[in-house]
Amino acid sequence: MAGISKNNPRVRELRKLLRDAKFRLECQKFAVEGLEILKECILTGNLPLDVFVANNHPTSKEVDSLLEGTEVTIWHMEESIIASVATTVTPQPVIATFSTIDVSLQELIMERPSFLVCGKEIREPGNAGSLIRSAAAASADGIIFTDNSVDLYNPKTIRSSAGAIFRIPIVCSMRPSDCLKAFKDKSITSIGLSPSGEMPYLDFDFLTPFVVLLGNESSGLDEETLTQVNQTVRIDMGLGVESLNVSNAASVVLFEARRQRRQLGHD
């Protein structure tokens, strides 16, 4: 346990980790805000590097208990300092730092995945976090974000994932062409989700290795990608509704995949 002032270099670093994607990349570190996400991290075996907690806050004792017996340093600071660093409207009394956790596509493919999700140019942090959460909840083996997608370690992405970033392997900043080649090389069927898809998603057989590709919030999957995937599928919707939010659309398809796979003991 250690005290810390607003002029401490660690406070300056913490502020930059929460706000500067380039700095996070250089340091290979990121920060998460809130006790619940910290609990999720610990539950999944991911210990933080450092934890910063508000002095005399009721949460302080809970943090001490969570990290008892570990070598994690807990830094105590004034609540006003935490508030000045935090990115949320209602600042959380706990902020923790971690080493980055994304993996390479090669590492993911080596594990012989049979259920993958690939987001192409997903730019909204909340959607990216929700997509990660849905993929983890549906028992996907991994999720991939192509280049020109939002930074995985954006604080809003992490909050929206509700800690699921620690529960599923994630690949970042891949070229779409490299992804499609890797899927083809490993006999992973690529499925493009589109309003103009050839087949209703309910008719697709999700029992062989597959990856569901989803496009960004404004334009969906581009025509070039749709011509390169093995199959395009659609979600048939009620009259007058043209599309769903990308994370909602993903949930619909991914949980159908999970349903089919559980019936034959794949989950």
Side-chain angles (χ1 to χ4, degrees), residues 51-95:
V51 175
F52 303 81
V53 62
N55 277 334
N56 303 316
H57 194 280
T59 299
S60 178
K61 290 183 179 179
E62 192 165 358
V63 170
D64 289 342
S65 177
L66 278 172
L67 296 170
E68 186 176 2
T70 73
E71 296 182 0
V72 177
T73 302
I74 302 173
W75 302 88
H76 289 259
M77 62 176 71
E78 294 299 322
E79 199 162 348
S80 60
I81 300 176
I82 286 268
S84 73
V85 170
T87 63
T88 52
V89 175
T90 304
Q92 298 291 315
V94 180
I95 305 175

Side-chain angles (χ1 to χ4, degrees), residues 4 8 38 59 69 81 104 148 175 187 189 194 228 240-241 245:
I4 190 168
N8 190 292
L38 177 61
T59 299
I81 300 176
S104 69
N148 297 320
R175 291 193 304 178
S187 300
T189 301
S194 169
Q228 293 175 333
V241 180
N245 170 285

Side-chain angles (χ1 to χ4, degrees), residues 138-227:
S139 301
D141 296 321
I143 182 166
I144 301 144
F145 289 100
T146 69
D147 47 16
N148 297 320
S149 293
V150 69
D151 173 25
L152 170 63
Y153 302 109
N154 180 298
K156 187 175 179 182
T157 302
I158 294 170
R159 286 197 301 275
S160 298
S161 82
I165 65 164
F166 292 97
R167 289 194 174 273
I168 183 170
I170 304 174
V171 177
C172 298
S173 301
M174 287 297 303
R175 291 193 304 178
S177 58
D178 291 340
C179 292
L180 289 167
K181 183 179 184 304
F183 302 147
K184 183 178 180 180
D185 289 347
K186 295 297 181 179
S187 300
I188 297 172
T189 301
S190 54
I191 309 159
L193 182 58
S194 169
S196 59
E198 302 162 332
M199 174 191 297
Y201 78 98
L202 291 168
D203 293 342
F204 189 83
D205 180 356
F206 290 100
L207 300 182
T208 56
F210 68 93
V211 55
V212 177
L213 284 86
L214 304 113
N216 69 30
E217 297 81 357
S218 60
S219 56
L221 286 174
D222 58 278
E223 287 301 319
E224 181 180 0
T225 301
L226 289 172
T227 61

Side-chain angles (χ1 to χ4, degrees), residues 8-49:
N8 190 292
R10 288 183 179 272
V11 175
R12 294 196 295 271
E13 180 190 66
L14 189 60
R15 185 177 285 108
K16 289 190 73 175
L17 285 174
L18 286 167
R19 289 168 173 78
D20 189 334
K22 184 178 179 182
F23 183 71
R24 290 192 288 266
L25 183 63
E26 290 171 353
C27 294
Q28 293 293 287
K29 292 167 65 175
F30 67 105
V32 303
E33 300 169 83
L35 179 62
E36 292 309 310
I37 294 184
L38 177 61
K39 288 179 179 178
E40 183 74 3
C41 304
I42 294 170
L43 277 173
T44 56
N46 293 277
L47 284 178
L49 300 171

Side-chain angles (χ1 to χ4, degrees), residues 99-168:
S99 297
T100 52
I101 56 173
D102 53 293
V103 301
S104 69
L105 183 59
Q106 290 73 23
E107 289 176 282
L108 180 58
I109 294 295
M110 280 177 61
E111 295 299 318
R112 298 182 181 276
S114 60
F115 181 174
L116 294 174
V117 184
C118 181
K120 188 174 187 291
E121 298 181 5
I122 306 297
R123 299 192 177 109
E124 208 286 314
N127 281 338
S130 296
L131 186 55
I132 293 166
R133 189 175 184 180
S134 294
S139 301
D141 296 321
I143 182 166
I144 301 144
F145 289 100
T146 69
D147 47 16
N148 297 320
S149 293
V150 69
D151 173 25
L152 170 63
Y153 302 109
N154 180 298
K156 187 175 179 182
T157 302
I158 294 170
R159 286 197 301 275
S160 298
S161 82
I165 65 164
F166 292 97
R167 289 194 174 273
I168 183 170

